[in-house]
Amino acid sequence: MPGSLVNLPPGGVPAPWNSQPPNNSAGGQPVRALNFAFIPGQLPTDTGGGTPAPGDTQVGYPSAPATPAAPTYAFAAGQALVIDYQEAGASVTTVTEGIDPPAIRLYLGAGAMGPAVPGSVRFTFRGRTYVDRAGALYYGIDPVTNAGTLGGSYDYTANVATLSDYASSGGNTVTIVSLATRYAETGVGGVMFRTAGAPLSEGNFTLRATTMDGVELTATADINGTITGTTVKGKVDWPSGIARVAFGAMVVAAGNESQPWYDADLVDGSGNIWRPTSVDPSSIFYGAVVSRAIPVDPTLIGIDPVRLPGDGRVPGFNPGTPAIVSHTQVTTLTPVADAVTDLGRERISFIDIFDSSVPALPIDDVWYVLDLEAGTVTWANPLNLSAYTMPVVIRDRIQDVALIADVQITGEITLASELTHNYPDGTIISNAIDQGDLQARYANLFDQATYTAGEWSDTVVGSPAAASYNDVVNPILVANDSAIDERWAVVFIAPTTVNVIGETTGQVLSQSITSDLAPINPVSGQPYFTIDKDGWGSGWSAGNVLRFNTISATKPIWAARVRTPGSITVPNDRVRLQSYGNANP
């Protein structure tokens, strides 16, 4: 306390203060805490056992001996008073703390000329044999796996081994098993080489090297072939396997004008210059994956491999072709009559509605009304879905169609126009095959006197019929949404009665020619074609046939699903092909 005094007995602190904690069994006094009462502003004195004067600061402690008057001690203003004590009967707790020993540096270059050759250093210290591997020292090498424990590093230039892991006991004798040195440093600042095979698999290239002072460098290449790493830069060409690598870093050019690697012409616009790092060429190693094309049996893929590129890869996306960016979401619910289901997005491309059965059944469109622009489904009233398994599954898709402007080997695709939707995660881009303008039509119309079952020649077999069909005035009508690629035969079984037979569909109609012939396509619900009743001339007899072909508003494509070789991990997989466009019926 400021301005206070404490009276102590002669000789300093009494025995319980200045002695070690006593042994209670011997009758000693335990160390106790002392209570001090400081009264600010008073300077008391002790007369050596007399009665304290009023206002004196009193100090009480046990077994105080009767002694002459004690000297007076003054405490500086604000000084802290710290008192340590131990309770009676308390035991001493021992605490052990482990401290890792510092690294040991061993100079192995006595009597040697020049730096060490990487991979040649092997020595024994305190019962452990250390082996050099690209600047790292390992011990405890397993003869089977060749694996060991990292124990330090080696500086080839200084021939100094730095051990961070070594035995705690043993002598300090170092036994050199092998150490090759050379007269001069043969470090390089960069290399150019070609891999053992080509083409290389993109993104699978690694490189490591060791500097002349024993620092290991590592680098990797991205899918573009750009090699990057600490103090490493370069480029690898995947098709040819040619790699160019430089070791070093960009530094400020100012102040390095006297360096042998300085060249004013190499200073960039930011005032920096490349400072090379000397690397031991024998320590440079690379890792790469070489691609190989395996001949495939044409009967397995359905196409002659000679028509494929040399590496077997066919571009999936090409500049100038259309692409479709799309996202499909799934909504599950149990519909309620007159309810409106908002799918949460507008300008939807299409909506599919199925039940939950396996396989799923499409919900008849009499039970709902779609609004693609608003993105809603309005359920009918009354609503009877008892024939379906609940809940209902709604699949809706938003999409944009745009031309591809550019394709990078990284997989980046640049579109020529902006997207009109905000696409979430899970969005995909699909390649579209532009089929141009397509239109259904019929061709190769002719008549024949005799029909031979199973004969589908596109020219007259035998002689023409006595009668003919006038398609100039009454052409056969076909529609884009129902015509198919098919050969048709209208066979007369009587002068006015015919059977309509398709090469693949079989007989689809039998009726009189006094009315239009319009066999229904069960997929679209519309006629495959329509033959006008007014186009028939006279003179038809049983056995005559009218032959023609229909061509659909489609274009044949060949699709080969290709995947990388490997075991099947997904038991059921599927792909979806969809045709759409600006179509007229």
Side-chain angles (χ1 to χ4, degrees):
M1 299 294 289
S4 298
L5 297 177
V6 176
N7 297 325
L8 299 178
V13 182
W17 287 17
N18 58 16
S19 63
Q20 297 295 323
N23 187 338
N24 290 337
S25 62
Q29 291 292 334
V31 178
R32 297 185 177 89
L34 304 183
N35 298 323
F36 292 85
F38 295 122
I39 301 177
Q42 308 232 354
L43 301 175
T45 59
D46 194 334
T47 59
T51 301
D56 283 356
T57 298
Q58 301 181 26
V59 179
Y61 49 87
S63 304
T67 59
T72 300
Y73 295 88
F75 289 88
Q79 180 175 350
L81 181 63
V82 179
I83 301 176
D84 295 330
Y85 68 94
Q86 181 177 337
E87 293 287 349
S91 59
V92 178
T93 302
T94 301
V95 178
T96 301
E97 181 180 357
I99 301 176
D100 294 333
I104 294 180
R105 292 169 55 86
L106 306 175
Y107 175 66
L108 306 183
M113 292 293 294
V117 176
S120 69
V121 181
R122 180 185 293 259
F123 63 92
T124 301
F125 178 71
R126 290 188 178 180
R128 293 180 180 177
T129 298
Y130 294 86
V131 178
D132 160 44
R133 291 180 177 176
L137 295 175
Y138 291 85
Y139 68 90
I141 306 298
D142 190 319
V144 177
T145 64
N146 201 31
T149 303
L150 180 64
S153 61
Y154 194 83
D155 186 339
Y156 298 124
T157 303
N159 277 317
V160 173
T162 302
L163 301 182
S164 57
D165 188 350
Y166 51 88
S168 59
S169 61
N172 293 330
T173 301
V174 178
T175 302
I176 299 177
V177 179
S178 65
L179 174 60
T181 61
R182 51 198 165 197
Y183 288 103
E185 295 185 2
T186 57
V188 295
V191 291
M192 177 179 177
F193 60 92
R194 183 171 184 174
T195 58
L200 302 180
S201 176
E202 291 88 344
N204 292 284
F205 182 90
T206 60
L207 183 138
R208 63 182 175 88
T210 304
T211 64
M212 298 306 297
D213 55 0
V215 178
E216 185 174 7
L217 308 178
T218 60
T220 58
D222 60 19
I223 197 171
N224 289 322
T226 302
I227 301 173
T228 56
T230 304
T231 324
V232 183
K233 73 172 184 178
K235 189 78 174 180
V236 57
D237 182 65
W238 301 120
S240 65
I242 296 177
R244 297 175 177 84
V245 182
F247 304 100
M250 296 297 293
V251 297
V252 177
N256 291 305
E257 291 80 1
S258 61
Q259 297 296 326
W261 42 264
Y262 180 85
D263 187 340
D265 295 335
L266 300 180
V267 179
D268 63 14
S270 300
N272 298 322
I273 189 173
W274 178 261
R275 180 183 63 191
T277 296
S278 185
V279 170
D280 190 316
S282 64
S283 68
I284 301 175
F285 297 90
Y286 73 86
V289 177
V290 180
S291 299
R292 286 289 183 266
I294 302 175
V296 182
D297 187 348
T299 59
L300 296 178
I301 62 176
I303 189 175
D304 189 349
V306 174
R307 301 174 57 185
L308 298 176
D311 58 3
R313 296 179 299 177
V314 179
F317 297 90
N318 295 285
T321 60
I324 302 172
V325 179
S326 64
H327 179 267
T328 301
Q329 73 174 359
V330 178
T331 304
T332 303
L333 55 88
T334 300
V336 178
D338 252 352
V340 178
T341 300
D342 190 345
L343 299 175
R345 47 193 188 181
E346 301 175 346
R347 294 180 292 108
I348 295 177
S349 298
F350 77 89
I351 298 176
D352 287 337
I353 304 179
F354 296 86
D355 72 350
S356 297
S357 61
V358 180
L361 297 176
I363 305 296
D364 197 312
D365 59 9
V366 299
W367 302 116
Y368 58 85
V369 176
L370 301 179
D371 188 338
L372 297 179
E373 187 66 25
T376 60
V377 180
T378 303
W379 300 98
N381 188 8
L383 180 65
N384 183 8
L385 300 179
S386 59
Y388 304 99
T389 302
M390 296 292 106
V392 165
V393 178
I394 304 175
R395 295 176 65 254
D396 70 273
R397 187 172 76 184
I398 56 174
Q399 68 180 32
D400 282 292
V401 181
L403 289 178
I404 298 175
D406 184 48
V407 179
Q408 297 293 330
I409 194 174
T410 58
E412 296 179 359
I413 299 176
T414 303
L415 301 178
S417 58
E418 297 180 353
L419 301 178
T420 62
H421 293 87
N422 292 324
Y423 290 93
D425 291 341
T427 298
I428 62 174
I429 182 169
S430 306
N431 201 2
I433 301 176
D434 187 6
Q435 298 182 342
D437 295 333
L438 301 174
Q439 182 176 355
R441 61 195 186 278
Y442 74 95
N444 208 37
L445 178 68
F446 64 91
D447 53 68
Q448 191 170 289
T450 303
Y451 170 71
T452 302
E455 178 63 58
W456 294 100
S457 174
D458 288 331
T459 59
V460 177
V461 177
S463 59
S468 62
Y469 182 85
N470 186 355
D471 70 326
V472 175
V473 178
N474 305 103
I476 299 175
L477 302 180
V478 292
N480 290 335
D481 60 354
S482 56
I484 64 174
D485 294 321
E486 182 65 297
R487 293 175 176 176
W488 299 100
V490 181
V491 182
F492 281 81
I493 58 176
T496 59
T497 305
V498 297
N499 290 336
V500 179
I501 304 171
E503 182 180 12
T504 58
T505 57
Q507 183 172 317
V508 296
L509 185 65
S510 180
Q511 73 168 57
S512 172
I513 62 173
T514 57
S515 59
D516 294 345
L517 300 180
I520 299 299
N521 183 334
V523 176
S524 66
Q526 302 297 320
Y528 289 112
F529 55 86
T530 301
I531 299 179
D532 196 323
K533 61 181 178 57
D534 296 328
W536 299 102
S538 59
W540 294 97
S541 61
N544 292 164
V545 60
L546 179 68
R547 273 278 292 111
F548 65 95
N549 301 337
T550 55
I551 298 93
S552 65
T554 60
K555 186 176 182 179
I557 62 172
W558 177 82
R561 193 175 189 192
V562 181
R563 63 181 301 276
T564 55
S567 302
I568 297 176
T569 57
V570 180
N572 297 313
D573 200 1
R574 60 185 179 181
V575 63
R576 182 171 185 171
L577 300 178
Q578 181 175 352
S579 297
Y580 61 93
N582 298 323
N584 295 318

